[in-house]
Amino acid sequence: MQQTILITGGAGFIGSHVLDLMVKKYPDYQFINLDALTYAGNLENLKSIENEPNYTFVKGDITDNDFVQNLFSHYQFTGVIHLAAESHVDRSIISPTDFIYTNIVGTVNLLNAAKNLWNGDYEGKRFYQVSTDEVYGTLGEEGLFTEETSYDPRSPYSASKASADHLVRAYWHTYQMPVVVSNCSNNYGGYQFPEKLLPLAINNIKHGKNIPIYGDGKYTRDWLWVKDHAAAIDLIFHKGVTAETYNVGGNNEWKNIDLIHLLCKIMDKKLGRPEGDSAKLITFVRDRAGHDRRYAIDASKIKRELDWEPSLTFEEGLEKTVDWYLENEEWLNNVTSGAYQQYYEQQYV
Ligand code: NAD
Ligand code: DAU
């Protein structure tokens, strides 16, 4: 069967890496990238594949139900990899409603369109929901999130993603729609919008600006190189068992302050600054409201069942990432002009 895959949010950070991998790897598939090009979506992220014959970009909003239904009728999708979302926790605290529309209503629109198109004939079909570890809530000093951990979302962002995940699973239980879900930890790498910790810190260090650290800086995250997440998504889409959930993580926990010290060391070296120079920019600022203390993923299921594991050590990945942002100055300048400045003032000043 000819595969026609809808990728939503393909102009964002993770989506662009997924498309870069899959468009080249599967020349016989057709890929349609549906993206509204919000502040986080950028067609410059897709230069590597924009002229490939098996790739098409469609600008559109997943909250527009009629548009989504027509798109499914037109392209007759056989699979969906759903990444489009409002993805930044701090923005969800400032303006939760956008997250409800895109992350929940948008997901239901896609589920309904797939259900209408496939009409019970699910042979060779798949709806893949790309989700986050934040749905599990927060951990103390010990323990890991497994696929059995109960959902306990605590920010408007994570509550909206949890709601969407529940709906995806409900479409399996109620309508037997062949779904699969993955929950991944913090990604890092090129093309990440510099509202997120690592690209924001890299950009600020480059310009000699303060590096804002929330609260006491001892909040802990598990970090995974984005291309390793993209490889996991490809594997789960093709080999994941229907109705199963896969946790994806880097087995790589860092307290924010330790991570930023490591980054400062790398930046000093790359920028030819004396060791310790960048670390002087570290500034503790007001904490994020409802800040989750620690996330950590047990990724043993995906390793055991799909033979996936991260390909890089964190030090290698971080160095590659710093190189990417230093080499792609124009990209960074383009995305930090205009509306970004307004957001930055509101969030940090
Ligand atoms: P991102 O914010 O970089 O990209 C989101 C993309 O979705 C953008 O291109 C944006 O234009 C598009 N979009 C937003 N609203 C839309 C709408 N209404 N209609 C169509 N397109 C819309 O996000 P990301 O970091 O690439 O995350 C992608 C997915 O992966 C999200 O679902 C997120 O929850 C999940 N995730 C992210 C991480 C992470 O560390 N970044 C980790 C785990 C899971
Ligand atoms: O865990 C997966 C999630 O990772 C994804 O679902 C989200 O889409 C993605 O944004 C990310 O969420 P976080 O909130 O963990 O990422 P962020 O980069 O915003 O923050 C990482 C940590 O750094 C967190 O503890 C908050 C802190 N932080 C963040 C910023 C932006 C700071 O201390 N200062 C900052 O300026």
Side-chain angles (χ1 to χ4, degrees), residues 320-344:
K320 264 182 190 285
T321 301
V322 168
D323 286 341
W324 190 90
Y325 286 96
L326 295 179
E327 282 159 17
N328 289 275
E329 195 165 23
E330 197 183 327
W331 183 92
L332 201 50
N333 290 343
N334 287 347
V335 300
T336 51
S337 60
Y340 177 80
Q341 302 300 336
Q342 244 176 319
Y343 164 76
Y344 200 90

Side-chain angles (χ1 to χ4, degrees), residues 63-83:
T63 67
D64 180 343
N65 189 41
D66 289 345
F67 170 80
V68 169
Q69 306 296 318
N70 287 334
L71 193 78
F72 273 71
S73 306
H74 180 77
Y75 283 105
Q76 301 282 304
F77 298 121
T78 55
V80 178
I81 303 181
H82 176 34
L83 295 117

Side-chain angles (χ1 to χ4, degrees), residues 39 47 114 120 129 185 209 229 261 298 319 321 327:
Y39 76 92
K47 288 260 177 258
Q129 160 81 349
S185 61
K209 279 176 66 177
H229 188 194
H261 274 292
D298 175 350
E319 205 160 323
T321 301
E327 282 159 17

Side-chain angles (χ1 to χ4, degrees), residues 266-285:
I266 296 174
M267 291 290 288
D268 284 341
K269 198 172 78 187
K270 300 275 177 195
L271 296 171
R273 295 180 182 167
E275 198 173 328
D277 221 39
S278 300
K280 290 185 196 143
L281 298 169
I282 293 174
T283 310
F284 290 90
V285 299

Side-chain angles (χ1 to χ4, degrees), residues 118-177:
W118 297 339
N119 195 23
D121 176 10
Y122 291 134
E123 187 66 34
K125 313 293 195 313
R126 171 148 281 190
F127 189 107
Y128 178 3
Q129 160 81 349
V130 178
S131 191
T132 170
D133 60 357
E134 301 204 8
V135 296
Y136 296 125
T138 188
L139 292 163
E141 292 292 310
E142 299 289 316
L144 300 171
F145 297 134
T146 73
E147 287 81 359
E148 276 71 49
T149 303
S150 297
Y151 275 28
D152 183 22
R154 294 146 48 95
S155 73
Y157 163 67
S158 55
S160 67
K161 290 294 293 187
S163 177
D165 294 3
H166 286 319
L167 285 159
V168 168
R169 295 191 180 102
Y171 274 61
W172 156 250
H173 287 287
T174 311
Y175 309 112
Q176 294 76 53
M177 180 174 295

